[in-house]
Amino acid sequence: MAERILVVDDEQEVADLLELYLVNEGYQVYKFYQGKEAAECVASREVDLALLDVMLPDVDGFWLCQDIRRKYFFPIIMLTARVEDVDKIKGLMLGADDYITKPFNPLEVIARVKTQLRRYHRYNGGGAPQEGLPGEELEIRGLAMNQRTHCCSLYGKELSLTPLEFSVLWYLCSHQGEVVPSEELFEAVWKEKYLDHNNTVMAHIGRIREKLKDSYRNQKFIKTVWGIGYTIEK
């Protein structure tokens, strides 16, 4: 069965172009020019990935991203003409997995879509544990993780983590007691070359901390080592 991609962009030419390239790759496309109609689609149909424009005529892409994340964990890629870091961080903090700045090459979008879908199915289809990581289960001070089932709980209460959030937390937990540089964490999880001023790791760490109830000033699990990266102490 073809994987289903939600495309939301108020620029008809952009939405039509994305639809053309995605259909040529064998995907089924749900295309919308407004956010609320797209939200209704997500509630009534199966979706495997969403491409969301930030600027929409009724509600913005940030609202739609947040609305999706209340119930669903499929990958979200933000499409934005905004280049400011604060906008990129906002999207990631609300649950987006990636962002692409306009104007873009449609082939890059296709490549990003394929990467996100591979990662999503890897952690939601009973895939094998990652090579080189110790075992399938970890437990640290009430935080329990199972890599095979992609389950995570804190003091017995299940945490709803996206595949990327789970990967970040698993990597840190499996390197407990070590300081993991941001560059290493990004390249291990995202499988891409780390570039300077990349705020992706910071944004995902912020979301994970929220779900762990781990306040910025009282960091119980994930500690920030300024200028280097992050650690989970023994």
Side-chain angles (χ1 to χ4, degrees):
M1 183 177 179
E3 292 171 301
R4 295 142 298 203
I5 311 298
L6 176 71
V7 175
V8 189
D9 198 308
D10 66 333
E11 296 182 65
Q12 184 172 343
E13 291 183 359
V14 173
D16 291 348
L17 180 64
L18 288 172
E19 180 183 34
L20 176 63
Y21 274 80
L22 289 165
V23 169
N24 284 342
E25 290 291 327
Y27 298 111
Q28 180 180 350
V29 176
Y30 303 138
K31 181 178 62 177
F32 296 93
Y33 307 122
Q34 298 189 50
K36 291 186 177 179
E37 292 179 351
E40 292 174 0
C41 172
V42 172
S44 61
R45 302 181 185 180
E46 293 289 333
V47 174
D48 295 296
L49 181 143
L51 290 164
L52 309 181
D53 185 25
V54 170
M55 301 299 293
L56 296 171
D58 51 353
V59 295
D60 63 29
F62 295 135
W63 178 92
L64 184 54
C65 176
Q66 190 173 31
D67 185 67
I68 290 173
R69 277 291 174 258
R70 290 190 178 99
K71 293 184 179 180
Y72 307 100
F73 301 118
F74 56 76
I76 296 175
I77 300 176
M78 304 297 294
L79 304 175
T80 175
R82 301 177 178 181
V83 296
E84 292 84 358
D85 283 345
V86 65
D87 292 312
K88 297 174 182 178
I89 293 172
K90 181 177 180 180
L92 294 170
M93 289 294 289
L94 292 174
D97 298 283
D98 200 358
Y99 56 82
I100 299 175
T101 303
K102 295 180 178 181
F104 52 73
N105 184 331
L107 294 178
E108 178 188 359
V109 177
I110 296 299
R112 299 284 188 95
V113 165
K114 290 181 176 180
T115 297
Q116 291 296 333
L117 286 173
R118 281 198 301 270
R119 181 179 290 118
Y120 177 65
H121 292 309
R122 179 180 184 181
Y123 287 103
N124 291 274
Q130 297 179 22
E131 182 179 355
L133 294 183
E136 292 184 357
E137 297 182 357
L138 292 171
E139 198 282 327
I140 299 175
R141 298 191 295 277
L143 175 66
M145 304 186 72
N146 185 304
Q147 192 181 42
R148 184 178 60 83
T149 62
H150 193 223
C151 290
C152 180
S153 63
L154 180 62
Y155 307 129
K157 183 178 181 179
E158 185 175 355
L159 298 179
S160 297
L161 300 179
T162 67
L164 274 174
E165 291 166 356
F166 185 93
S167 297
V168 169
L169 186 55
W170 176 272
Y171 195 87
L172 290 173
C173 287
S174 65
H175 291 78
Q176 185 184 10
E178 304 174 22
V179 177
V180 179
S182 298
E183 178 179 354
E184 176 186 333
L185 184 56
F186 180 85
E187 295 183 357
V189 173
W190 277 264
K191 308 299 182 185
E192 298 176 10
K193 184 65 178 176
Y194 181 87
L195 301 175
D196 289 341
H197 309 298
N198 189 324
N199 295 302
T200 304
V201 171
M202 180 182 68
H204 279 79
I205 291 290
R207 280 186 56 80
I208 294 169
R209 280 177 170 154
E210 286 182 6
K211 294 180 179 183
L212 292 173
K213 307 298 183 184
D214 204 12
S215 69
Y216 180 78
R217 294 184 177 180
N218 184 22
Q219 300 170 2
K220 298 178 182 178
F221 287 98
I222 304 176
K223 307 279 188 179
T224 299
V225 181
W226 293 107
I228 302 178
Y230 306 92
T231 185
I232 292 181
E233 298 176 342
K234 289 187 175 180

